[in-house]
Amino acid sequence: MTDFFKGITAIRYEGPDSDNEFAFRAYNPTEVVAGKTMKDQLRFAIAFWHSFAWPGGDPFGGQTFDRPWFGDSMDHAKLKADVAFEMFEILGAPYFCFHDADVRPEGRDFRENTARLREMTDYFQKKMEDTGVRLLWGTANLFSHRRFMAGAATNPDPDVFAFSAATIKTCMDATIQLGGENYVLWGGREGYETLLNTDMGRERAQAGRMLQMVVDYKYKTGFEGTILIEPKPQEPTKHQYDYDVATVYGFLKDFGLEGEVKVNIEQGHAILAGHSFEHELALARELGIFGSIDMNKNDYQSGWDTDQFPTNVPEMTLAYYEVLHAGGFKTGGTNFDAKVRRQSLDPADLILAHVGGMDACAAGLKAAAKMLEDGKLEAARSQRYAGWETAAGKALLQSDLGSIAAKVDSENINPQPRSGRQERLENLVNRYI
Ligand code: XUL
Ligand code: CO
């Protein structure tokens, strides 16, 4: 045991009336909601990078956190892992997620990076066996080091493509060794700053080829998890090739991979793309590529990726409504890709940020389940489209412009506008929260 979280004991469910800051009010892991326990519905995961690797910097200042594991040695990396697993246990979090660069110090070259990642993977494996905590997904950090400044797969330099492919292989190997349920590819710097120096067609083709290699390696190794792409519109590059769910689907179709790869949708990225989170979730469901979620919220005024913990229950309700609507998570889950603010220095801040996030998600899930079970929202939606269920409505889609014109003329079809009832539906949703 380290003494980082000294005095903080395991967080338990105490119900909505509890006055204890260190207790869950909504998240009751064993309570059944929509046919499964909340633990199995929500499948919470802790993001290693934000909670343990991020130093607290912003564009105007550097490190604010003073963590005993900040340093470049393998001993520091192991202390970081020790503290992380202590936090997973305090929170009762069933999963975690990591990038290679979060868990091992940067080496001199690929060989040293790989040796260090292997050593840390073995260290993690032992901890996972001891605690029962599992890996939701692994991924490669192909964006922080300066070698990736012009992209990884989309880099103009083939050596960077090679280094990236080799690194992805090692991260997939680590994910497989740890029984990971998914492997994630977030585009990082796969995009461009200016067309003046960019061959967009070539870069997209390189990214498509890299993705095909990832899928091939999945089959070669027998990895049973899901390959996920995480869309994001800007930040770091001005034009990202994986802008949003629709763009990723077009990309997958282009390279024939729409049956092989799904999406990990992040709330903050949806907002940056000018969408609501539920729009992205619903579209992924309709396209058959819904996989997993990164759960945070973005500030609605500041316009960059602030990665804050979710606290807004009405937003969570609409999000988990879409998750339930999609049939719930299969290999996916709820990964807190969220960081405490740079002034939140205390170990307790780290714990309580997650407690609040888990409670907000749980409250949203419960409201969403009530809404789905009650069926009023779906009934209203069905009623709005009822005309398409009639024989005439169905026949229309099999017809052609000439026949339709003749029919509209002969039957004097003269549509009368009907209310969309938006406010009534918004009022209805609030009744479940
Ligand atoms: C970046 C982001 C990443 C991915 C994993 O905005 O969300 O942390 O989730 O690389
Ligand atoms: Co993310």
Side-chain angles (χ1 to χ4, degrees), residues 47 49-50 98-99 102 137 139-143 184-188 230-232 234-236 264 266 269 272 294 296 305 307 335 337-338:
W49 50 102
H50 283 323
F98 73 98
H99 306 76
D102 311 331
W137 48 263
T139 186
N141 179 328
L142 303 177
F143 44 90
V184 164
L185 299 131
W186 165 54
E230 183 175 325
K232 184 175 182 182
Q234 298 97 22
E235 220 201 22
N264 179 40
E266 177 166 322
H269 298 177
L272 284 178
D294 266 13
N296 50 33
D305 195 8
D307 283 330
N335 171 43
D337 193 355

Side-chain angles (χ1 to χ4, degrees), residues 69 87 104 107 151 189 231 321 331 350 385 401 424 431:
W69 57 86
M87 186 167 99
R104 53 111 181 100
R189 297 184 191 275
Y321 190 78
T331 62
L350 213 43
Y385 293 89
L401 292 188
R424 293 167 68 178
R431 277 166 38 195

Side-chain angles (χ1 to χ4, degrees), residues 159-355:
D159 282 354
V160 180
F161 183 99
F163 196 100
S164 306
T167 302
I168 290 175
K169 181 209 174 275
T170 64
C171 291
M172 288 180 78
D173 288 343
T175 302
I176 294 166
Q177 182 181 334
L178 298 177
E181 301 192 21
N182 308 269
Y183 184 82
V184 164
L185 299 131
W186 165 54
R189 297 184 191 275
E190 311 293 28
Y192 68 91
E193 303 297 337
T194 172
L195 256 189
L196 298 177
N197 65 10
T198 302
D199 181 341
M200 196 175 5
R202 186 189 288 272
E203 292 199 0
R204 280 186 84 254
Q206 287 171 212
R209 186 67 197 125
M210 181 73 90
L211 189 57
Q212 181 67 59
M213 289 184 195
V214 168
V215 171
D216 291 346
Y217 195 63
K218 167 184 154 142
Y219 286 109
K220 182 163 187 275
T221 54
F223 176 50
E224 287 177 359
T226 310
I227 306 292
L228 299 169
I229 288 191
E230 183 175 325
K232 184 175 182 182
Q234 298 97 22
E235 220 201 22
T237 77
K238 180 163 165 53
H239 301 277
Q240 294 278 143
Y241 296 133
D242 50 5
Y243 195 98
D244 59 3
V245 169
T247 309
V248 167
Y249 188 70
F251 179 85
L252 293 176
K253 281 290 248 191
D254 199 6
F255 294 96
L257 291 169
E258 69 276 15
E260 301 289 353
V261 178
K262 294 187 161 38
V263 281
N264 179 40
I265 305 172
E266 177 166 322
Q267 202 261 13
H269 298 177
I271 303 300
L272 284 178
H275 301 303
S276 67
F277 191 28
E278 58 272 20
H279 164 85
E280 290 289 81
L281 296 167
L283 183 59
R285 182 194 71 230
E286 294 296 348
L287 296 171
I289 56 169
F290 171 68
S292 197
I293 63 176
D294 266 13
M295 198 60 260
N296 50 33
K297 67 174 181 184
N298 262 8
D299 189 285
Y300 285 108
Q301 283 80 45
S302 59
W304 67 87
D305 195 8
T306 58
D307 283 330
Q308 292 169 241
F309 279 87
T311 53
N312 187 324
V313 176
E315 281 185 357
M316 293 301 89
T317 302
L318 297 180
Y320 283 103
Y321 190 78
E322 296 305 329
V323 172
L324 291 176
H325 209 163
F329 294 120
K330 306 282 184 309
T331 62
T334 303
N335 171 43
F336 287 110
D337 193 355
K339 53 187 185 254
V340 293
R341 301 302 87 194
R342 71 195 292 269
Q343 296 180 56
S344 301
L345 304 177
D346 299 342
D349 292 322
L350 213 43
I351 299 289
L352 294 177
H354 284 91
V355 169

Side-chain angles (χ1 to χ4, degrees), residues 373-392:
E373 277 158 28
D374 202 29
K376 288 199 181 71
L377 190 65
E378 288 317 306
R381 205 194 310 262
S382 302
Q383 199 195 345
R384 187 156 183 249
Y385 293 89
W388 288 101
E389 294 301 322
T390 63

